[in-house]
Amino acid sequence: MKRFIAGLVLPLVLVFMSGTAVAEKPKPSDLKRHQTTPGQKYEPTLDVLRDQNVEKPGSKPGGPVISAADFQRANQIYFQRCAGCHGVLRKGATGKPLTTKITSKLGFEYLRDFIDYGSPAGMPNWGASGGLSKADIDLMARYLLLEPPQPPEFGMKSIRASWKVYVPVNKRPKKKMNTLDLDNLFSVTLRDTGQIALIDGASKKIVEIIETGYAVHITRVSASGRYLLVIGRDAKVNLIDLYMKHPATVAEIKVGAEARSVETSKNKGYEDKYAIAGAYWPPQYVIMDGHTLEPKKVVSTRGMTVDTQEFHPEPRVAAIVGSHYHPEFVVNVKETGKILLVNYGDLNNFQVTTIDAERFLHDGGFDSTGRYFLVAANARNTVAVVDTKERKLVKLVKTGAKPHPGRGANFVHPTYGPVWATSHLGDETIALIGTDPVKHPKNAWKMVQSLEGQGGGSLFVKTHPKSKHLYVDTPLNPEAEVSSSIAVFKIADMAKKEPEYTVLPIGEWSGITEGVRRVVQGEFNKAGDEIWFSVWNSKSQQSAIVIVDDKTLTKKAVIKDKRLVTPTGKFNVYNTRADIY
């Protein structure tokens, strides 16, 4: 659920009469305005917390009666569909608060109809779209009139209890024991099986399937290139040793109940020494030993927001990157809008530099020099730029609707010089931001160009220093033809006022005829001459990876394997380690 109280506009009219809220159902001619957009569909869900058994709060006199079984069912729906926007504790995030003080004033009928029809301001039409049944909508309206339950905390005692070392450091290989070309190895998320596949970039063959947490969100590579770190949405971190004859997990840990981010130390003298992981619930980050994942420090992110300076009880940890200039992790805190420069040089005398940026920070990456970090505050249509050398905010840059860059894309524009690109969930544009304050100061830290792509619902853009193209996916677009294809811009053509793009029918090239065939997240090989795309179907359907020749924009290869279940993110070891994107 999203932005429950936002946009109280026709055709859902909120009429206050003696403190009572009455909802008028939308007219059939107005229902089109209530269609759920790609951006609303994407809003991050807490789909692991849905399995948490939480205690049912007591009902107030005159309040709704819900059985224990129905309460757990409502919890599952709320944590899976709603908490990403309204917060675990219903105190608001990108969506409005849903505390009982608010919901009791609105009343059951209003809540029921708003869940059913949604609003043009951002609330999905859960009923009209078929996302929830009438019975579930009725249940959720009653559930929102109860006090919100709270999942358990996950402190150092619980974190340490989850920590396992399968292969001690002194039992690991002293040198690489396999013949794999590690720099051209791909770590591929198999979302719905709780695994990753290691795929050789040359042979295009799966060399290992490794059990991980559920729905691995990202893969990060240690500075030495020896270790992969992956984190699942269930907050499990796996440390994988690539030097073993058969790469495998040598240590694991859980840093909470729900999470998205992990990173390793990159600064000179600290290579591989530390790792860090950030949690959605509880809102905290954990610093660990980089070779064993032994937890060293757990730090809460609860605090004041940058705009209203009000306390927020659950600010989630979004993207984390390792600074190249200082022994620091750049930690982005979503709901408070703060960027934390967490210094790991002396954990006993712990120092954190706090930069006030913009609320609802999500994902981002470095510019081509590795000095400036650009991160999307997607609900505020803004990209924040941080100078990691000088430790300060450089600029807040307005973009299109809901920027979602992944790590973004760096290239040299024929007119504006070095730029960094992001696509958008909420519209079809691709924003190009100038990143060279030395040779192109007039273009630095402003949106110098907005390209028009094939539609909204984009999650990732991609290029490579050796490529002459910019690739834009649209996996969340409601049109099947758009969601199963890729738009490709020639960088040289961007000097034109309205550069055109080429559409690559990746879903069709895969040879798969069933399912939605959502095409997502391009990733280059080390050489930069081919780009890999996931063709992402449901768990019960066939998926694939399609590889495109970057020079000719033609199909080069298709990887199909019964073990390739719901592939999403792909991370080339060399490009990920070297921050090449």
Side-chain angles (χ1 to χ4, degrees):
M1 273 169 226
K2 302 160 183 80
R3 303 183 189 173
F4 226 103
I5 317 301
L8 300 177
V9 295
L10 289 174
L12 272 180
V13 182
L14 182 63
V15 183
F16 287 97
M17 299 177 61
S18 303
T20 301
V22 180
E24 295 181 9
K25 293 183 179 180
K27 300 173 183 178
S29 61
D30 290 321
L31 283 176
K32 190 172 183 180
R33 296 180 59 200
H34 289 251
Q35 290 180 348
T36 300
T37 68
Q40 293 156 18
K41 288 180 180 178
Y42 171 77
E43 288 288 0
T45 56
L46 296 158
D47 51 6
V48 179
L49 280 180
R50 68 185 176 190
D51 298 323
Q52 291 273 341
N53 274 319
V54 292
E55 186 176 347
K56 177 185 172 185
S59 298
K60 294 181 179 179
V65 177
I66 297 180
S67 69
D70 278 350
F71 179 76
Q72 292 303 328
R73 165 70 179 162
N75 266 334
Q76 288 181 330
I77 294 172
Y78 183 81
F79 288 137
Q80 183 177 10
R81 306 287 186 89
C82 319
C85 278
H86 296 292
V88 171
L89 306 178
R90 294 187 358 216
K91 292 184 180 294
T94 53
K96 297 291 184 179
L98 290 173
T99 61
T100 52
K101 182 178 180 180
I102 293 171
T103 59
S104 61
K105 287 182 179 179
L106 293 172
F108 169 79
E109 290 186 358
Y110 178 84
L111 295 171
R112 179 197 62 200
D113 291 341
F114 218 49
I115 296 170
D116 194 350
Y117 295 104
S119 85
M123 173 69 181
N125 56 346
W126 290 108
S129 67
L132 291 175
S133 68
K134 293 292 184 185
D136 282 341
I137 290 171
D138 180 274
L139 172 62
M140 294 309 297
R142 289 184 285 128
Y143 172 83
L144 292 175
L145 294 169
L146 296 174
E147 290 293 331
Q150 178 170 327
E153 298 289 326
F154 204 90
M156 181 59 88
K157 182 178 179 180
S158 299
I159 294 168
R160 183 165 281 276
S162 74
W163 173 48
K164 299 174 183 176
V165 177
Y166 296 108
V167 183
V169 174
N170 62 0
K171 299 293 184 181
R172 297 175 196 170
K174 304 298 183 184
K175 60 181 181 180
K176 189 163 79 78
M177 302 299 292
N178 56 64
T179 59
L180 297 173
D181 179 3
L182 297 185
D183 275 352
N184 203 29
L185 196 66
F186 286 75
S187 171
V188 180
T189 296
L190 306 180
R191 176 192 158 91
D192 293 340
T193 61
Q195 299 171 322
I196 64 165
L198 298 183
I199 303 181
D200 177 64
S203 69
K204 315 295 191 288
K205 300 293 185 182
I206 296 175
V207 295
E208 296 290 344
I209 298 287
I210 299 174
E211 300 293 325
T212 62
Y214 171 70
V216 162
H217 196 65
I218 59 171
T219 294
R220 289 293 180 260
V221 182
S222 69
S224 69
R226 174 169 186 164
Y227 294 110
L228 287 185
L229 289 97
V230 300
I231 188 165
R233 288 192 176 211
D234 56 0
K236 179 189 282 189
V237 179
N238 288 68
L239 180 68
I240 298 165
D241 188 354
L242 297 179
Y243 279 16
M244 298 173 70
K245 184 176 182 180
H246 295 283
T249 295
V250 293
E252 70 175 43
I253 197 169
K254 271 179 67 69
V255 297
E258 181 84 13
R260 297 291 188 276
S261 53
V262 68
E263 180 60 294
T264 68
S265 53
K266 295 180 178 178
N267 194 246
K268 188 176 181 180
Y270 293 91
E271 295 90 343
D272 295 19
K273 185 172 183 179
Y274 292 114
I276 184 172
Y280 268 25
W281 184 267
Q284 60 193 29
Y285 57 88
V286 179
I287 298 176
M288 301 157 283
D289 181 276
H291 295 90
T292 65
L293 299 185
E294 179 184 4
K296 298 293 186 180
K297 201 170 194 69
V298 56
V299 184
S300 173
T301 55
R302 292 179 170 106
M304 304 299 183
T305 61
V306 298
D307 47 6
T308 59
Q309 298 193 44
E310 295 175 303
F311 180 75
H312 200 290
E314 49 174 299
R316 297 169 284 181
V317 178
I320 302 176
V321 297
S323 172
H324 298 278
Y325 286 88
H326 303 283
E328 292 176 339
F329 294 118
V330 183
V331 177
N332 297 272
V333 186
K334 184 181 289 283
E335 277 71 29
T336 57
K338 294 181 178 180
I339 298 174
L340 310 178
L341 305 182
V342 177
N343 192 293
Y344 50 77
D346 184 352
L347 296 185
N348 291 322
N349 298 285
F350 194 53
Q351 296 182 22
V352 178
T353 300
T354 301
I355 296 173
D356 288 353
E358 178 61 283
R359 292 189 68 186
F360 313 119
L361 300 169
H362 189 59
D363 58 347
F366 287 106
D367 78 310
S368 60
T369 70
R371 173 173 174 172
Y372 299 95
F373 177 68
L374 297 93
V375 58
N378 51 19
R380 293 285 174 87
N381 306 332
T382 298
V383 168
V385 182
V386 170
D387 183 344
T388 62
K389 181 179 181 180
E390 297 296 330
R391 298 188 176 103
K392 65 181 182 181
L393 180 71
V394 176
K395 193 74 176 292
L396 296 177
V397 183
K398 286 294 181 183
T399 65
K402 293 193 175 180
H404 191 285
R407 290 170 287 178
N410 291 298
F411 58 92
V412 178
H413 191 283
T415 304
Y416 302 109
V419 298
W420 177 91
T422 179
S423 54
H424 298 84
L425 280 160
D427 64 38
E428 71 281 3
T429 66
I430 300 96
L432 308 184
I433 297 172
T435 60
D436 182 4
V438 178
K439 295 183 179 179
H440 299 82
K442 291 182 179 179
N443 302 327
W445 319 130
K446 63 180 66 173
M447 189 170 71
V448 294
Q449 188 174 14
S450 179
L451 308 176
E452 185 172 334
Q454 62 173 340
S458 175
L459 292 179
F460 301 102
V461 291
K462 183 62 65 174
T463 190
H464 186 276
K466 295 181 180 179
S467 173
K468 297 179 180 179
H469 300 111
L470 174 69
Y471 296 80
V472 185
D473 71 14
T474 42
L476 297 184
N477 194 279
E479 299 293 333
E481 187 175 343
V482 176
S483 66
S484 65
S485 61
I486 293 293
V488 187
F489 291 87
K490 288 185 178 179
I491 293 172
D493 288 350
M494 293 179 188
K496 301 176 183 177
K497 185 176 181 181
E498 295 181 1
E500 297 180 350
Y501 55 83
T502 300
V503 176
L504 305 185
I506 302 295
E508 179 183 324
W509 285 353
S510 72
I512 297 171
T513 58
E514 64 176 350
V516 180
R517 304 182 306 180
R518 299 188 187 280
V519 174
V520 65
Q521 206 258 344
E523 179 75 345
F524 274 88
N525 61 347
K526 180 187 177 183
D529 58 9
E530 62 184 35
I531 183 167
W532 297 30
F533 289 99
S534 296
V535 181
W536 173 23
N537 260 335
S538 69
K539 186 176 181 179
S540 61
Q541 296 171 318
Q542 187 177 33
S543 293
I545 293 174
V546 173
I547 299 164
V548 175
D549 186 304
D550 178 62
K551 298 292 188 295
T552 62
L553 299 184
T554 57
K555 180 179 69 173
K556 188 173 183 179
V558 178
I559 303 174
K560 288 182 180 177
D561 190 300
K562 64 181 180 180
R563 297 170 293 172
L564 202 61
V565 179
T566 58
T568 51
K570 300 164 297 304
F571 301 88
N572 174 268
V573 167
Y574 179 79
N575 293 338
T576 302
R577 182 177 84 246
D579 286 317
I580 293 174
Y581 36 78

